[in-house]
Amino acid sequence: MKPGLSKKQFMTISLTLFAMFFGAGNFIFPPNLGKEAGDNFYMAIMFFCATAVLLPVLGVAGIARAKGLQNLVRRIDPVFAFVFTALLYLTIGPLFAIPRAANMPFDIAIKPFVPDDSLQIWLFVYSAVYFALNYYICLNPSALVKLLGRYLTPLLLLLILLLFGAGFLYPIGEFTAPMGDYVNHSASKGFVEGYQTMDALASLAFGIIVINAIKDVGVKNERHLVVSTIKAGMMAGIILMVIYLMLGYLGATSGELFKDTPDINGAALLSKISDHYFGKIGVVILGSAFLLACLTTTLGLITSASEYFEELSKGRVKYKTWVILWCLIGFAVANFGLTTIIKGSIPVLVAIYPVSIILIILSLINPIIDSSKLVYRACVYTCVIIGVVNGLDIINISIPLLTPFVKTMPFYDSMLGWIVPSLVVFALSYVSYLMFHKREGSY
């Protein structure tokens, strides 16, 4: 049994973690953050990286400690385990992440060349072809897809580096005044914006893959497994953070040029920045690379979701049926357009992310709380209530008595109203656990 990783194994696991979080769909958020944060960019991007980089790394470590997602969520109760896991896969699958990734190449490389009056027709045709291709490959897997995944990551890194190099040497303009919530709440806004990457959710769903990779090289001890995961994750996180900083910087220096288009999404912004430096050919090259990268991303997500739900249905609903369903749902949602998909995901992410954060934290401190159902249930259900109320409030749905009460919580206006109640509930439940656990084994 090895106590840790060799240098070669460490780099291999670090790159595996990096590839896991290096989702092409995530690149659209830092540029938009930079454009809107302006002079407050560095504060905003730091807190963005807390949820987009640090939290996913801790999520994988938490899954290592819990020995899998199902072991973790069952500490609450079976109903929660079923609902949360299903919602997790739907969120990072056909409802949001898959159609978002599908739309990104369209907004970068096709939309700039299409007249506005025929845009919806082009999107319909593009998404139909895109998901037909996904359906075919998911049912006829090919080594070519893995080969593309292996070489597309360095290609995308090279393109981003070239774009950043041009932006750093010949900036479009200066940082502008911050906009919206970035004026007075750049830290909390950046923190919540990091939810959009969905990487913390992905770490819970797919973290076991990385854990098994570390086990395969001989690291079996739980403490060494967690420590090795965090160390490798830090290396992957540093690389990812540098990429986010570069993309965010490009957005921050482009604010003056695109100030007349405040509602522009990150994909369109990247397209315009590429056009500014490299012309239409640059837009086509960037869009083509992202098309292939996003294709490998959506293929992985459709396959994973289909395999999970086939297992959940105990084989009564076959893998092929799930693939068809997810492709149809992805196709339907994709036709709403990228901006609408991003806006539509916000209430769901505001509801589900606090629960995910609490689960990660509780898993990491589990040796202290000894899998106490009292502590887990108290903290998780507090986050469920506040998160759901906040998510519904975003779409102007109010629950009598409950919504007005929850809105009094500190930091609620920043969509972080769950933090203080969770700390209070944790303290109370943990003290109760210490007082009564010897007499009440169920605690």
Side-chain angles (χ1 to χ4, degrees):
M1 183 183 296
K2 297 181 181 180
L5 301 171
S6 68
K7 288 183 178 180
K8 183 178 179 181
Q9 291 168 342
F10 174 78
M11 289 305 300
T12 300
I13 300 300
S14 295
L15 291 174
T16 301
L17 272 167
F18 172 73
M20 175 179 165
F21 298 131
F22 190 71
N26 294 348
F27 295 158
I28 61 178
F29 299 110
N32 212 45
L33 178 149
K35 182 179 78 69
E36 294 184 3
D39 292 331
N40 292 336
F41 164 67
Y42 293 110
M43 176 66 75
I45 198 68
M46 180 173 67
F47 280 87
F48 174 88
C49 288
T51 41
V53 178
L54 176 62
L55 192 60
V57 171
L58 295 178
V60 175
I63 290 300
R65 176 147 278 171
K67 299 181 177 66
L69 175 61
Q70 289 307 306
N71 288 336
L72 177 58
V73 292
R74 284 173 185 158
R75 291 171 184 170
I76 294 86
D77 60 61
V79 174
F80 171 84
F82 171 80
V83 173
F84 177 80
T85 307
L87 183 59
L88 184 72
Y89 273 97
L90 289 172
T91 301
I92 62 174
L95 293 184
F96 298 111
I98 289 173
R100 186 183 76 186
N103 273 43
M104 187 175 166
F106 179 85
D107 275 44
I108 290 178
I110 299 177
K111 190 175 180 179
F113 302 98
V114 175
D116 290 342
D117 57 355
S118 59
L119 192 61
Q120 194 61 46
I121 297 173
W122 277 90
L123 178 58
F124 181 89
V125 173
Y126 162 83
S127 53
V129 173
Y130 184 92
F131 282 101
L133 186 59
N134 273 263
Y135 167 76
Y136 176 79
I137 298 176
C138 281
L139 297 184
N140 302 278
S142 167
L144 177 62
V145 176
K146 291 184 179 180
L147 194 65
L148 280 174
R150 184 182 306 167
Y151 291 105
L152 277 172
T153 295
L155 174 61
L156 277 176
L157 283 173
L158 178 61
L159 289 173
I160 291 169
L161 192 60
L162 285 173
L163 201 57
F164 172 74
F168 184 77
L169 294 174
Y170 308 101
I172 295 175
E174 301 292 331
F175 286 14
T176 58
M179 302 163 55
D181 290 336
Y182 288 106
V183 176
N184 297 314
H185 306 288
S186 57
S188 59
K189 177 64 174 175
F191 186 88
V192 174
E193 197 68 17
Y195 291 2
Q196 289 278 5
T197 65
M198 303 187 197
D199 278 345
L201 306 184
S203 73
L204 294 175
F206 307 127
I208 194 66
I209 298 172
V210 177
I211 301 309
N212 289 336
I214 297 177
K215 286 182 177 179
D216 287 343
V217 299
V219 180
K220 307 292 185 182
N221 179 273
E222 181 184 298
R223 187 177 70 83
H224 292 147
L225 194 62
V226 173
V227 171
S228 296
T229 301
I230 292 176
K231 286 182 177 179
M234 286 175 64
M235 172 64 72
I238 288 171
I239 302 171
L240 194 58
M241 187 165 61
V242 169
I243 293 170
Y244 286 155
L245 279 166
M246 290 192 294
L247 290 168
Y249 179 85
L250 287 170
T253 53
S254 70
E256 184 65 30
L257 185 63
F258 306 122
K259 63 181 179 181
D260 296 329
T261 53
D263 295 328
I264 189 173
N265 64 52
L269 184 60
L270 270 178
S271 179
K272 289 182 179 295
I273 293 171
S274 182
D275 184 28
H276 177 83
Y277 286 113
F278 303 113
K280 299 302 181 186
I281 187 65
V283 172
V284 172
I285 293 173
L286 183 68
S288 300
F290 272 104
L291 173 63
L292 295 173
C294 287
L295 182 63
T296 59
T297 298
T298 53
L299 285 170
L301 292 174
I302 292 171
T303 300
S304 300
S306 299
E307 289 174 347
Y308 169 75
F309 281 97
E310 182 184 32
E311 182 181 346
L312 189 66
S313 68
K314 298 180 180 178
R316 288 189 291 269
V317 183
K318 299 300 181 184
Y319 170 82
K320 180 178 179 180
T321 304
W322 288 114
V323 170
I324 294 171
L325 180 61
W326 301 147
C327 286
L328 288 174
I329 293 175
F331 166 71
V333 175
N335 277 275
F336 285 99
L338 183 59
T339 300
T340 302
I341 294 169
I342 293 171
K343 289 180 179 178
S345 68
I346 293 173
V348 176
L349 294 176
V350 166
I352 198 174
Y353 242 87
V355 180
S356 303
I357 294 172
I358 285 295
L359 282 171
I360 291 169
I361 293 171
L362 292 177
S363 180
L364 291 172
I365 65 171
N366 194 64
I368 299 173
I369 59 177
D370 196 27
S371 300
S372 166
K373 286 190 178 295
L374 173 64
V375 176
Y376 270 90
R377 287 174 177 173
C379 293
V380 167
Y381 282 127
T382 296
C383 283
V384 167
I385 293 170
I386 296 174
V388 169
V389 168
N390 201 341
L392 291 174
D393 189 32
I394 291 172
I395 56 176
N396 299 315
I397 297 177
S398 178
I399 302 173
L401 299 179
L402 185 57
T403 299
F405 173 71
V406 170
K407 291 176 77 169
T408 64
M409 302 296 171
F411 314 121
Y412 178 85
D413 290 340
S414 299
M415 292 185 278
L416 298 173
W418 56 274
I419 293 179
V420 173
S422 297
L423 290 172
V424 172
V425 168
F426 171 78
L428 293 175
S429 61
Y430 184 56
V431 169
S432 299
Y433 160 72
L434 292 177
M435 291 174 62
F436 301 117
H437 79 284
K438 290 183 179 180
R439 282 178 283 171
E440 300 289 343
S442 62
Y443 279 174

